[in-house]
Amino acid sequence: MNLYRHLRVCLFVAASLFLASEPASATKRVALVVGNSSYQNAPLLPNPANDAAAIAATLKGAGFDVVDSRLNLAATDMRRALREFADQARDADIALVYYAGHGIEIDGTNYLIPTDARLERDTDIYDEAFSLDRVLLAIEPARQLRVVIVDACRNNPFADTMKRTVASRSISRGLARVEPTVSNTLIAFAAKAGLTALDGNSKNSPYAMALVKYIAKPGLDLRRAFGFVRDDVLQTTGNRQEPYVYGSLGGEDVALVPAPKAQEPAPAANPQSEVRRDYELALQLGNKGALSAFLAQHPDGYYASLAKLQLNQIDAEEARVAATEKARQAEQQRARLASEGAQRADQEKAAADSKAADEARIAAERTKQAAKEQAAEAERKRAASETSAAGVLSGNRPAIENAAPDSPAVAAPGQDNKGARVAALSTAPPQADLAKSVQSELSRVGCFTGAVDGEWNAASQRSLALFNRHAGTKLEVKLASLDALDAVKLRPSRVCPLICDRGYRPDGDQCSKITCAEGSFLNDDNECEKQRGRKPVAKRNTDDRPSRADRSARQSRQPTADVPPRQASPKPQADGARRSASGAGGQIYCNDLLCRPVKRGCHLEYRGGGGPYANANAEVCN
């Protein structure tokens, strides 16, 4: 028993040291509530003071650590209140500001008006009022949530008397839309941007009454609370006023008042309750020191086997982290030698070292997944067994044969067996998300050009095969896997070469259009080629030389000796060439060698004779 107490003390001391670095579990909430009713240079507003008092009472009843309520603040008092509240919000988790009173929007910026403001000119707003950005700056240091509620969407009381120094300056009714620049910040308006809110017929406005009803409900998410406020205000005002909320929060519920903790049922009696409590405490700490201390106190038994599985899981995770870092360094070394143009032998050795480190990393990942699956399965069986009755617990001890510390998957980290692969698949993310991650990484290294949609189709398989070819890996391409994701993530830059369409050439990580110079064209090899001139084609020129058929026709038309001179002259040819020939009326003179047109100014005379070898005509020139 003394040893047991000693172990308890050690575990609690370790827990205290571990939790000392964590933030306090209690959430600190602070609020500033301002209600301006008694304006010195504007009509009285009866509701803001009543609304501020109701909101302050609601927040105090909800357990806020600080609720600073201020009424009818002048400019100096309002400036001091914001400065003091900024100091309170600096170490708070949730900071809330509620303002009721007059507000104005100029050139798209919203301003809160103190009670002593005069606003004779539009430029006085910069000296006598406070912008909404000043309020957001005061609550910005809050760690978890920042909320500003503005119940100031009323008509501008200075609109009739305010002088405009610039005619183009915009002064609108109501308030302008805002977009918070700091995350986890909500800005709630009593009415939509550009519209005014109603004061109602009671001592509180419809918006303030709805806030009191919903904003401090325990466990109610703040977004749903403002949604219920909107519905109530719309119903109360006959759809004339619609509250609006700007900003966004995360996926978890965020409530101003946490839900009450449900009382846990008393655990069933367990003969090994003390051992179980020690194990759960060591498991909660989740480090090797706590688990080793538990095994030193309880070296044997069911919970000792569970503790050994948890230790194996921690060791496997440490080995995986070390292998991943070693693979990253090896890949960087290989890339460095390749970029520096080192000797081929050094580059080949670096590539082999990188490949071996990557294989060791994959094996460590599989071992870690197997150890994690075994520990999770053992914990699942333990939780199921401890919910049964005490009598069944004593008779049916949970079976943990598959989770024994000497399991082959745990004892042999480098062994690539079926059990390790199944364990890795069982703890893998959904297939669609895994495929989308692999597609995204393949696109980063230039191997995938399709849509990253999570569908592992033929295009995705070809992309992974292309990665295998250029990266020298042998990954399975039929399905997206964790091995493929890790292998692609290790590549810091492009792996697959850039492929461009016809007419474009690679230029870094982009395709540039190819522009050929004048006199050149883009050939089938996607290169510019100089155009060649056409070769001249020789042809017969028959314009000045009559054809053989023409000569035969002219000879056949020569007059004989029996024909009178005027009838023996050759008749004009039917074609246009003969008609346009130069000479005397288209006459042709022929001798033994050739036929030609009669010269200009000459004519033919019949001299008698004739025959096959004699010419009966003579060319006579004046």
Side-chain angles (χ1 to χ4, degrees):
M1 185 60 68
N2 291 333
L3 186 58
Y4 164 74
R5 291 178 180 175
H6 178 70
L7 176 63
R8 293 288 296 270
V9 171
C10 292
L11 291 177
F12 279 118
V13 169
S16 301
L17 294 175
F18 177 79
L19 296 177
S21 60
E22 297 295 322
S25 59
T27 301
K28 183 178 181 180
R29 299 168 294 170
V30 296
L32 173 64
V33 180
V34 178
N36 286 345
S37 290
S38 301
Y39 281 88
Q40 300 174 14
N41 304 291
L44 175 69
L45 291 177
N47 283 346
N50 299 330
D51 295 341
I55 295 297
T58 301
L59 297 178
K60 289 179 181 178
F64 267 62
D65 298 274
V66 175
V67 178
D68 188 2
S69 180
R70 307 288 183 97
L71 298 179
N72 301 321
L73 295 181
T76 304
D77 298 331
M78 199 164 179
R79 185 178 297 107
R80 184 182 299 110
L82 288 174
R83 186 166 58 244
E84 292 175 356
F85 186 70
D87 295 335
Q88 295 173 346
R90 189 163 290 112
D91 59 347
D93 298 292
I94 298 176
L96 182 146
V97 174
Y98 172 83
Y99 173 82
H102 275 307
I104 187 174
E105 178 264 321
I106 294 182
D107 283 343
T109 302
N110 300 314
Y111 295 90
L112 309 182
I113 303 177
T115 57
D116 59 345
R118 301 182 63 88
L119 300 184
E120 296 177 352
R121 294 172 295 274
D122 52 3
T123 55
D124 293 345
I125 194 72
Y126 306 116
D127 301 323
E128 301 182 15
F130 295 87
S131 69
L132 187 58
D133 293 336
R134 176 65 182 88
V135 179
L136 293 174
L137 185 64
I139 65 173
E140 185 176 350
R143 290 186 288 263
Q144 295 180 6
L145 177 65
R146 291 153 286 274
V147 182
V148 178
I149 303 174
V150 183
D151 191 0
C153 306
R154 296 172 172 83
N155 287 325
N156 179 12
F158 304 94
D160 297 334
T161 59
M162 181 184 294
K163 298 178 182 179
R164 297 195 182 189
T165 58
V166 178
S168 61
R169 180 167 286 119
S170 170
I171 303 177
S172 305
R173 61 187 302 219
L175 299 178
R177 176 187 179 93
V178 294
E179 291 296 339
T181 58
V182 180
S183 60
N184 295 327
T185 300
L186 291 183
I187 302 176
F189 283 176
K192 186 186 295 186
L195 301 179
T196 57
L198 304 176
D199 284 330
N201 299 322
S202 63
K203 68 175 184 177
N204 293 111
S205 66
Y207 185 62
M209 288 191 297
L211 285 174
V212 171
K213 184 178 179 181
Y214 293 107
I215 198 171
K217 274 196 172 183
L220 180 61
D221 182 68
L222 196 57
R223 288 158 293 196
R224 296 192 62 195
F226 280 119
F228 292 145
V229 169
R230 168 191 174 274
D231 295 342
D232 274 18
V233 173
L234 283 173
Q235 182 179 2
T236 304
T237 62
N239 295 329
R240 290 181 296 169
Q241 177 182 341
E242 181 183 3
Y244 234 74
V245 178
Y246 303 94
S248 64
L249 301 179
E252 297 182 358
D253 288 348
V254 179
L256 288 182
V257 181
K261 294 183 179 180
Q263 293 183 353
E264 299 180 357
N270 192 327
Q272 294 183 325
S273 58
E274 293 184 356
V275 180
R276 176 178 59 80
R277 283 196 299 268
D278 293 344
Y279 170 74
E280 290 177 349
L281 181 58
L283 184 64
Q284 196 173 25
L285 294 176
N287 54 53
K288 295 180 68 173
L291 292 171
S292 299
F294 173 81
L295 286 174
Q297 176 66 21
H298 306 286
D300 300 320
Y302 168 57
Y303 289 101
S305 300
L306 295 178
K308 292 175 183 178
L309 286 178
Q310 296 295 335
L311 280 176
N312 289 336
Q313 181 180 352
I314 294 175
D315 293 338
E317 173 63 18
E318 292 177 352
R320 185 197 68 82
V321 172
T324 302
E325 178 63 20
K326 186 176 180 181
R328 185 186 66 82
Q329 294 176 357
E331 175 61 23
Q332 289 180 350
Q333 175 71 5
R334 185 200 63 78
R336 184 183 64 81
L337 292 177
S339 62
E340 294 177 355
Q343 295 183 1
R344 183 176 180 181
D346 294 337
Q347 293 191 32
E348 290 178 352
K349 182 179 182 302
D353 293 342
S354 176
K355 184 176 181 181
D358 188 52
E359 292 176 352
R361 180 197 58 80
I362 294 175
E365 176 69 23
R366 291 172 177 168
T367 302
K368 189 266 293 188
Q369 294 290 351
K372 182 178 179 180
E373 175 64 16
Q374 290 174 353
E377 178 65 17
E379 282 299 306
R380 185 191 65 79
K381 291 180 179 181
R382 181 179 73 87
S385 65
E386 290 179 354
T387 55
S388 59
V392 177
L393 279 173
S394 60
N396 292 327
R397 190 173 184 179
I400 57 170
E401 289 79 6
N402 294 332
D406 55 349
S407 175
V410 179
Q415 186 176 358
D416 186 12
N417 50 37
K418 184 177 180 180
R421 187 175 298 277
V422 172
L425 292 176
S426 64
T427 57
Q431 189 62 30
D433 295 342
L434 180 60
K436 185 179 295 186
S437 300
V438 176
Q439 289 173 342
S440 177
E441 289 298 321
L442 287 173
S443 177
R444 181 182 61 82
V445 297
C447 298
F448 183 67
T449 58
V452 182
D453 52 9
E455 295 185 5
W456 195 254
N457 48 24
S460 302
Q461 295 176 14
R462 287 194 299 270
S463 300
L464 187 54
L466 189 64
F467 176 83
N468 283 336
R469 183 165 68 251
H470 291 282
T473 56
K474 296 181 181 180
L475 301 170
E476 175 62 41
V477 301
K478 293 183 178 179
L479 288 175
S481 61
L482 288 172
D483 294 344
L485 180 61
D486 292 339
V488 181
K489 278 185 175 181
L490 284 177
R491 303 293 172 168
S493 58
R494 172 181 288 275
V495 173
C496 299
L498 183 62
I499 300 177
C500 299
D501 296 335
R502 174 176 169 79
Y504 293 83
R505 64 163 57 95
D507 185 8
D509 288 337
Q510 296 179 350
C511 292
S512 300
K513 188 175 181 179
I514 300 175
T515 303
C516 295
E518 185 177 358
S520 301
F521 68 97
L522 192 67
N523 59 17
D524 295 338
D525 295 332
N526 211 35
E527 296 178 351
C528 291
E529 182 178 343
K530 189 174 182 181
Q531 294 179 347
R532 299 178 181 178
R534 296 183 178 179
K535 294 181 179 180
V537 179
K539 61 180 180 180
R540 187 183 301 272
N541 189 355
T542 59
D543 295 339
D544 299 331
R545 183 177 180 182
S547 64
R548 183 178 301 174
D550 293 337
R551 292 198 300 271
S552 300
R554 286 195 293 271
Q555 291 177 2
S556 63
R557 288 196 296 271
Q558 291 180 358
T560 61
D562 298 334
V563 180
R566 292 189 178 276
Q567 297 178 356
S569 60
K571 295 182 180 181
Q573 297 290 333
D575 59 296
R578 297 282 187 258
R579 295 178 187 273
S580 62
S582 64
Q587 293 179 335
I588 302 299
Y589 172 76
C590 296
N591 55 22
D592 296 339
L593 299 177
L594 53 84
C595 291
R596 62 175 176 79
V598 176
K599 297 179 180 178
R600 188 178 298 276
C602 303
H603 63 277
L604 293 178
E605 290 186 0
Y606 179 68
R607 299 294 178 88
Y613 302 104
N615 190 355
N617 298 319
E619 184 179 28
V620 179
C621 297
N622 297 330

